[in-house]
Structures are given as structure tokens and as C-alpha cells.
Amino acid sequence: MYLALLVIFLQCSELYAQGKVYEVFTFNGVKIKVEPSDKVKNGAPMSIICHADISKNTDFQLKHNFTFFKDGKLVFMTISDKEDARYEIPVAKSADTGDYECRVKAGDKLVISKPIYVWVAGMTKPILTADKKEVSEGEIVKLRCELPEEVPPLEFYFRKIKTNSEPIAKRVAEQNQNFSEMEYYVEAGDNILQFDCFGKRQVKSGWESSQHSNKTLVTVKEPFRKPTLITTPSNNLTEGDIIEFQCSTVAAEMRGIEIIFQKNRTILNSVRDKKLLKYSTLATQEDSGEYLCKVEQGAVSKTTKLNVFVSELFPRPTLSASMTQLDENKDLILNCSINGSRRANFSILRKSSSGDILLKKSRILAIKVNVNDTGSYTCKAEVKGIIKESKPVRISVYAPVSKPTLSVVSGSPEVVLGKPLQLICHSVMGTPPITFTFYKGDEIKKNVTNDTYATFLDEDIGLNDNGGYKCDARNNHSSGVKTSNILNVTVIVPIRGASLGSVPYGEVEVGSDTAFLCSVEEGSWPIHFKFFKKTDHEELLHEAREYSDRTIWHKKTMKRRDTGTYYCMASNRASVDVRSRPITISVILAAWQKGVIAAFVLTAMAGAGAVALWWFLCKKKKAKGPSMEMSGSALAPSLASEKLTRPPSDGNYYSGSGYIEDNENHMKSTDESKGPDLESAEVDYTEVEVSTLDPHRENIWAS
């Protein structure tokens, strides 16, 4: 039974699986839109709607996960089985401006919409507050401007509004907060101040500004009043009058009050902790101008200005001179005068670095001058205590120049060709400035004004420039020009093209003399010649100083060790050494020495020949000795004796003399290898007749 039920369950499961349909869906797209539009006024409602376009194979429920982002940040999310979702913003603010997008996830599938930019136009009105409602001049007001519903970055603009003037704005950028603070210094004269502010933010289309904030009113108190400046007897005066200035103020607190009285930038007087300043002086024309009274307390400063005009009592005196440039020991007359011939007290003075030197209390001064009287002179005139000084007059007293001397700076009156020549012209006496003129021949080369000397550099030196330099010296003395002596300058031509030769050239016999000739192509005399031989070091052999372009050095008795390479060197006052090309000298034997050697060699050869001939003859004589004729009586016993003492060999006897006796009683040589001497020598055969036989020999043969 249980088995039947199991079979039925399995069949039912198979039928259910065959009848089941899989759920399939796909995203066709996701869109986002804004209602009422993508540009919304600040404070109006706004909706962000996300729609998912999905296709299904059957009608089945599908959960959708909607996520809304603004500028990449999550702002809203919801889950719905519908294909639409809404992000409601009841009151849109400027902070809601930005790029929106939505993401829809269903199952394991996710689709993202394209972004849409939403602009909430208009910013909230900023709020401005001040830390003080009443301040004193010199104090600081701290302001705070806030945009509560805005998000940074923001820019804040603070404005200071004064009556009858344009507002002054200050900008502050805030990157991390929606408020900003600003401090304002309250200046003198700021009686009633108004402040406001506004903000700005950057949108895609540019910058957007907020409304202006509420105006904040700040009342300013004066610590002291603007000063009062008066003059007595008036501000129109004449030179010689006494003028008095009074500068005063009114202050709630005198501590820290300072009154300063000045003309232009010069402080004339000042007082502290007082409300009144006085200043008086004898009026002069130089006192005309603008005066300023300044009252300061802490950071507050107030000023009052007053113009004063002082008319001239008498004009500035004039100093005249009979001459401004004159010779020493001449008469000089100085005259001090005032236009209008007004009576005054005159004095004539000479200017000095240590102070004015009074020469005479008079309008006229007459003196006989010397060089030390050169300088600046003035005169002063006094009327009613007013003293005025004339413009200075320059008086120059001249001593005559002495005859100048012209010389070469280097000392020697000569110059190397191609090198510059520097001359100096000097006058020992004479009042400067002195004008020096340099001449080359009759041509003016240079004018120089100096105190006691001048220099001239001549860079155009030629071969013909051997003299003709002079110079003139003159100053403002009436004696005129003084001329130097003519300076003759020698032009030194440097050495060029040194060469060395010898007689004889190349080979020189031992014991003979050799002449070395060193010459140059050009060069100024005298010329210093040096002769060298090349060794491990440069060996100086001879030197000479010649007023010529060449020199000859005679070297006596040449030796074999004098063989080698020679060269010469030439120099003159141009201080340039010029070296010749080297030559090679070979010292050989003399003819008589060669003859002696030849005779010695020939003698030696003759002696050797004689010795060789003697030896040859002696040898030949020894070879012929055994073949000479011998007497029978003497030779026979000897031969018999030799034959008896020698054993037989191949049927022949060996003779001590080197010969063999044949059957015919002849003797011939059996040794044919005794050398060329014996082979070449002619062999003589001699018949020897034996008359009797030695009995002893017969016995020997018989036996």
C-alpha cells in the first residue's frame, strides 16, 4: 500500500514540474523626470519621479528597489511592486539644486537612469547681526551674515553704508560653512553706520545672488572733537611779523590725547594730555604754506588744516663778482646788493665744509687772490631781524700750468710692432681742470680734461712710427698752452724666419773647422743669437749679440763626438724667441787618417799573406822529404829492419813513410786521402837499386 502511494506521489510531482512556467523579465530602460519642471522656484514643491520600463513573460509580481541620488549622494530609497517611484520635496531650497539620478534593482538586475539637472532658483534671504549697537570712533564692530538653508561653498558680501556715499563692500569666501563673519573699524567721522550683506552661489549657468539682508544700524560716539586751528594776528603776514598758532580740541577723556602741529611733513610742536597747543615764530617768506593740527587718541586721528601766506619784506640779496675765473695775484671785487636799494646790514662769507667763514661785514669786498681763494662765496642781508642769503657764486683762481712731460707708461721709449703704446702726459703745476692734447706728428689724437695728468693709448703702431709724439697742457690761466718735448719712440720689429746653415754642410772631417751661420728674415737690432746642440737636454754652445741680421760661429777642430743635430735661436727686445729648423752634422775621418788606416790594413794583409806562403812552403817541403834519393848502404838496412818489424797485411807491407813497394822495386803512395796538399802535389818516383841482399833478410824470407 505504501509503495503504491509513493508511486502516485512521484507521478504527481512529475506532472506538476511539466506544467510549471519559469518567470522571465528584462529592463527596457529607466527614466527620471521632475515635476513641475527641472527649474523650480525656491520654496515651491518639487517631485522627482523614477520610472522603470520592464517586460515580463507572464503577469507576475516583481519587487523594485528604487534609489535616488543627488550629486552622487543617496537622498531617498523605496521598495515597490509598481514600476514608478516618487521622491517628494515639499519645499524646494537652493540646496536642492544639483544632478539627480535613480537606480532600479529587481532580482539580480540593476539599471541606472541618465542624470537630470534640477535648478532651484533663488536663495534664501540672509540674516545679519552685529555684536554692538553703539560704538566709539576707533573701535571695532563684528558682523555675522548667515544663510541658514544654503549649503557651502558660498560667497558672502558685507556692505558698509554711509550717508551720502557709495557702500563699501568686502567679499569673504566660505568653503565649509553657511555663515561668515567680518570686523569693521569705525573711523573718525562715522556718526551713524548701516550694514547689510548678501550671498552668492555658483550654478551651471553662472553665479546666483541672494536678496540683501536686513539693515543693521550702529551708532558712533566721538571720543573727542575735530581740532580747531587759528593764527594771530592773521594768516596773511609780512616778513618780520610774529605769528602765533593755536590748536585745540574738546574731549570727554583727556588721558591719551595728543596734539601735533606740523608743516608739510615737519613736526613743529606737540603736547600730551592737554586740549591746547601753541606755537609762535618770526614770520619769513619760507613760512608760507599749509599747516596741520592733528589730534590723536588711540586709533582715532582727526586733523584740521590752515594755509598761511607771508609776503616779502625785501628781496633776496644778489652777490656779484668782478670776475669768476682769474689768474692768481689778480684783484677780485665782490658786491652784495638788494633790489630797490633798501638799507640793510650786509656781510660777505665764504662757504666751507666746516661752516661759513665771515670775510667782512660790508656790501663790498676787494682782495688780491691766490689759488687757495678758489671756492663759493655768498652774502647775507638783515632787515628787522629777517636774514636772507644770496645764491652762491663760484670763484676759480688759476695758477699757470707747467711744461708737461710726455713719457711711455712702461718706462722705455719703445714699442713692439703690433702692440699698443700707452703714453702719459703730466704737468707738475697748474690749477685743475687741465686739458691735455696728444699729438702724433701734427695730427691731434686725443683731448683729455683731468687734474694733473692724462693718458693716451695708441693702438695703430706701424713701422714708420719712430717718433713725433708730443702733448699740450692748458687751463683757464691767461698764460696759454704749454707744450712738451717731442718723444721719439722706437718701433721694435719682432724676429721672423730664423734659419741655420753650416760650411761645410752635412759631413765634416775630423779636426777641420766648421762655420755655422744663423740668420733671420727680419727683426730690429741688436739681435741675440744662440746656438744649441740637441742632447738629452738642450746644450747651449755659443751665443752672440749682433747689430746685424746674421752671425757666424766658427767651431774649431771638429771631433767625432760633435756629430749630432744643431739649431739656433734668435731674439731681440720684442722678447719673442724664434727657433730655426735643425740641421744634422756628421763628423767623418780625414783623408790622411783614411790613408793611414788603408796602409795599416794593407800591411796587415801582406803580413798575413807572407805568413800563409811561408806555412805553405814549409808544408810542401815536409811532403817532399821521404821521396829523396837514399844511398844503398844506408837505406837498405833501414828498410829491411822496418819490414822485419811489420806483420804482413794483404800481401803488402805498410811502410812508415806511407809508400808501398811494388814488384818492380818502385815506391808509391798508398794513402790517397791525405788532404788536398798531398793530392795536388806531384809525386816523384825514384828507382832504387839494391846491390846486395841483407843476409838477415834472406834468412827471414827463407824461413
Side-chain angles (χ1 to χ4, degrees):
M1 179 178 179
Y2 292 106
L3 181 60
L5 291 175
L6 179 61
V7 171
I8 293 170
F9 175 76
L10 292 175
Q11 289 180 350
C12 290
S13 299
E14 184 178 354
L15 292 174
Y16 176 79
Q18 291 177 355
K20 184 179 179 181
V21 178
Y22 288 101
E23 297 174 349
V24 179
F25 72 95
T26 183
F27 280 97
N28 298 318
V30 174
K31 294 183 180 180
I32 188 171
K33 65 179 181 177
V34 183
E35 289 183 355
S37 70
D38 57 1
K39 184 177 180 180
V40 184
K41 288 186 178 180
N42 197 317
M46 179 178 69
S47 298
I48 311 294
I49 302 171
C50 183
H51 172 70
D53 183 8
I54 300 176
S55 296
K56 304 177 184 177
N57 64 341
T58 61
D59 187 13
F60 60 89
Q61 280 193 347
L62 184 64
K63 294 294 183 181
H64 309 92
N65 192 340
F66 293 91
T67 308
F68 291 83
F69 291 87
K70 173 184 172 290
D71 296 330
K73 295 181 180 179
L74 176 66
V75 293
F76 178 72
M77 64 183 300
T78 184
I79 299 174
S80 173
D81 55 0
K82 296 181 180 181
E83 294 183 354
D84 293 314
R86 301 174 69 90
Y87 169 42
E88 299 287 350
I89 302 176
V91 180
K93 303 295 183 184
S94 59
D96 296 322
T97 299
D99 288 309
Y100 288 84
E101 69 177 18
C102 75
R103 301 177 186 178
V104 182
K105 184 176 182 181
D108 57 353
K109 298 181 181 181
L110 175 67
V111 181
I112 303 173
S113 71
K114 291 183 178 180
I116 184 172
Y117 180 72
V118 179
W119 179 19
V120 180
M123 299 175 64
T124 57
K125 185 177 180 178
I127 300 171
L128 179 65
T129 57
D131 65 337
K132 298 176 184 177
K133 294 296 182 182
E134 186 177 85
V135 295
S136 297
E137 293 174 337
E139 292 184 349
I140 292 175
V141 177
K142 187 174 183 179
L143 304 177
R144 176 187 171 97
C145 184
E146 184 177 3
L147 290 166
E149 298 179 359
E150 304 297 334
V151 293
L154 298 168
E155 287 191 355
F156 292 88
Y157 291 83
F158 295 86
R159 298 198 311 164
K160 177 182 178 182
I161 305 169
K162 295 176 66 174
T163 306
N164 300 325
S165 63
E166 290 292 327
I168 301 173
K170 293 183 178 181
R171 170 186 167 276
V172 181
E174 296 290 352
Q175 300 293 328
N176 303 312
Q177 57 191 19
N178 62 353
F179 68 91
S180 183
E181 294 180 343
M182 173 66 67
E183 292 183 347
Y184 273 91
Y185 169 72
V186 181
E187 300 175 353
D190 291 343
N191 298 325
I192 298 176
L193 295 177
Q194 283 186 334
F195 298 93
D196 70 3
C197 71
F198 65 92
K200 283 187 178 182
R201 64 169 182 160
Q202 193 170 18
V203 294
K204 281 192 174 182
S205 58
W207 286 91
E208 184 179 20
S209 299
S210 72
Q211 302 177 41
H212 285 251
S213 70
N214 56 297
K215 286 187 171 56
T216 300
L217 185 66
V218 177
T219 304
V220 181
K221 298 185 298 182
E222 281 188 305
F224 57 88
R225 290 184 181 178
K226 185 177 180 179
T228 301
L229 178 61
I230 59 174
T231 60
T232 55
S234 70
N235 59 346
N236 272 323
L237 306 163
T238 303
E239 289 181 316
D241 294 341
I242 300 297
I243 181 172
E244 184 178 81
F245 296 89
Q246 291 185 0
C247 181
S248 61
T249 186
V250 177
E253 176 63 44
M254 294 306 300
R255 172 177 281 183
I257 290 288
E258 184 177 18
I259 303 175
I260 300 172
F261 182 66
Q262 64 186 81
K263 181 177 185 288
N264 298 327
R265 299 175 60 88
T266 303
I267 297 176
L268 302 176
N269 197 9
S270 65
V271 294
R272 280 183 173 273
D273 301 332
K274 293 182 180 180
K275 63 180 180 179
L276 178 65
L277 176 146
K278 291 183 178 182
Y279 175 77
S280 60
T281 184
L282 181 67
T284 64
Q285 197 169 16
E286 286 76 15
D287 293 326
S288 295
E290 184 181 75
Y291 290 82
L292 183 143
C293 177
K294 182 185 293 184
V295 179
E296 296 179 345
Q297 186 180 43
V300 183
S301 177
K302 298 181 180 181
T303 60
T304 300
K305 296 179 181 179
L306 178 66
N307 285 314
V308 173
F309 178 74
V310 180
S311 59
E312 186 178 64
L313 177 63
F314 64 95
R316 186 177 184 180
T318 301
L319 180 64
S320 59
S322 57
M323 297 180 68
T324 56
Q325 294 183 353
L326 64 163
D327 298 344
E328 61 180 353
N329 298 321
K330 295 288 185 179
D331 292 327
L332 172 66
I333 299 176
L334 300 175
N335 187 8
C336 187
S337 61
I338 299 174
N339 288 337
S341 301
R342 186 180 182 116
R343 295 179 61 86
N345 296 323
F346 295 97
S347 57
I348 298 177
L349 307 95
R350 180 181 174 185
K351 292 288 185 181
S352 173
S353 58
S354 58
D356 295 345
I357 301 173
L358 178 63
L359 300 179
K360 188 176 183 181
K361 288 188 175 182
S362 174
R363 65 184 302 167
I364 297 176
L365 173 65
I367 57 173
K368 189 177 289 293
V369 296
N370 56 45
V371 175
N372 295 329
D373 292 325
T374 296
S376 294
Y377 294 80
T378 63
C379 75
K380 292 182 179 180
E382 180 184 359
V383 178
K384 292 177 61 176
I386 301 299
I387 300 174
K388 294 186 178 182
E389 186 175 357
S390 69
K391 292 182 179 180
V393 175
R394 178 71 183 178
I395 303 297
S396 299
V397 181
Y398 292 93
V401 296
S402 60
K403 181 178 179 179
T405 57
L406 181 64
S407 59
V408 179
V409 172
S410 61
S412 177
E414 58 187 25
V415 62
V416 178
L417 181 66
K419 297 294 183 67
L421 173 67
Q422 189 171 27
L423 303 176
I424 181 169
C425 186
H426 177 257
S427 285
V428 177
M429 298 181 62
T431 303
I434 301 174
T435 299
F436 297 91
T437 303
F438 291 88
Y439 295 85
K440 186 175 183 180
D442 295 329
E443 181 183 359
I444 296 177
K445 286 295 184 179
K446 188 178 181 182
N447 286 314
V448 181
T449 300
N450 205 348
D451 289 343
T452 59
Y453 72 92
T455 60
F456 164 60
L457 185 66
D458 188 1
E459 297 180 323
D460 185 21
I461 301 297
L463 283 173
N464 299 323
D465 296 340
N466 289 321
Y469 290 96
K470 65 180 179 179
C471 70
D472 290 344
R474 67 181 184 278
N475 61 0
N476 291 322
H477 194 275
S478 59
S479 61
V481 178
K482 301 292 178 64
T483 304
S484 70
N485 295 330
I486 294 177
L487 176 65
N488 294 317
V489 177
T490 302
V491 179
I492 305 299
V493 180
I495 300 297
R496 184 174 67 86
S499 62
L500 177 65
S502 68
V503 178
Y505 183 79
E507 292 184 348
V508 181
E509 292 184 352
V510 173
S512 64
D513 297 343
T514 301
F516 290 91
L517 172 64
C518 185
S519 63
V520 298
E521 293 182 8
E522 65 176 5
S524 296
W525 302 347
I527 300 175
H528 191 191
F529 295 94
K530 294 181 180 179
F531 294 84
F532 293 89
K533 180 184 178 185
K534 281 189 176 181
T535 57
D536 294 339
H537 60 280
E538 302 299 318
E539 181 182 357
L540 177 63
L541 303 175
H542 178 72
E543 58 182 324
R545 184 181 179 87
E546 301 287 349
Y547 284 86
S548 173
D549 60 357
R550 66 193 60 202
T551 187
I552 298 177
W553 170 44
H554 293 278
K555 181 170 177 54
K556 303 289 186 180
T557 315
M558 296 290 285
K559 298 179 177 58
R560 293 297 297 271
R561 66 171 176 268
D562 293 327
T563 296
T565 302
Y566 294 79
Y567 68 91
C568 72
M569 190 178 293
S571 63
N572 61 4
R573 284 170 291 170
S575 300
V576 177
D577 292 332
V578 179
R579 182 171 172 172
S580 71
R581 290 186 177 181
I583 64 172
T584 301
I585 300 296
S586 298
V587 181
I588 62 176
L589 295 175
W592 66 270
Q593 291 176 320
K594 292 179 181 179
V596 170
I597 294 173
F600 176 79
V601 171
L602 291 176
T603 302
M605 291 176 63
V611 171
L613 180 61
W614 175 81
W615 179 84
F616 175 76
L617 295 176
C618 291
K619 189 73 173 177
K620 187 175 182 180
K621 184 178 181 180
K622 288 180 180 181
K624 288 182 179 181
S627 59
M628 294 175 60
E629 291 185 1
M630 290 181 282
S631 62
S633 60
L635 183 59
S638 176
L639 290 175
S641 175
E642 286 182 3
K643 289 181 179 182
L644 289 175
T645 60
R646 295 288 182 179
S649 177
D650 295 332
N652 295 322
Y653 290 98
Y654 176 75
S655 173
S657 61
Y659 289 87
I660 299 174
E661 184 180 5
D662 58 12
N663 294 329
E664 296 180 354
N665 295 325
H666 293 109
M667 297 179 68
K668 60 179 180 181
S669 173
T670 60
D671 190 355
E672 296 178 357
S673 60
K674 294 297 181 178
D677 291 336
L678 295 179
E679 289 179 358
S680 59
E682 183 181 356
V683 180
D684 293 332
Y685 295 90
T686 305
E687 293 182 357
V688 179
E689 181 180 357
V690 180
S691 58
T692 58
L693 293 176
D694 190 344
H696 297 286
R697 185 174 182 182
E698 288 180 354
N699 294 332
I700 292 172
W701 282 102
S703 61

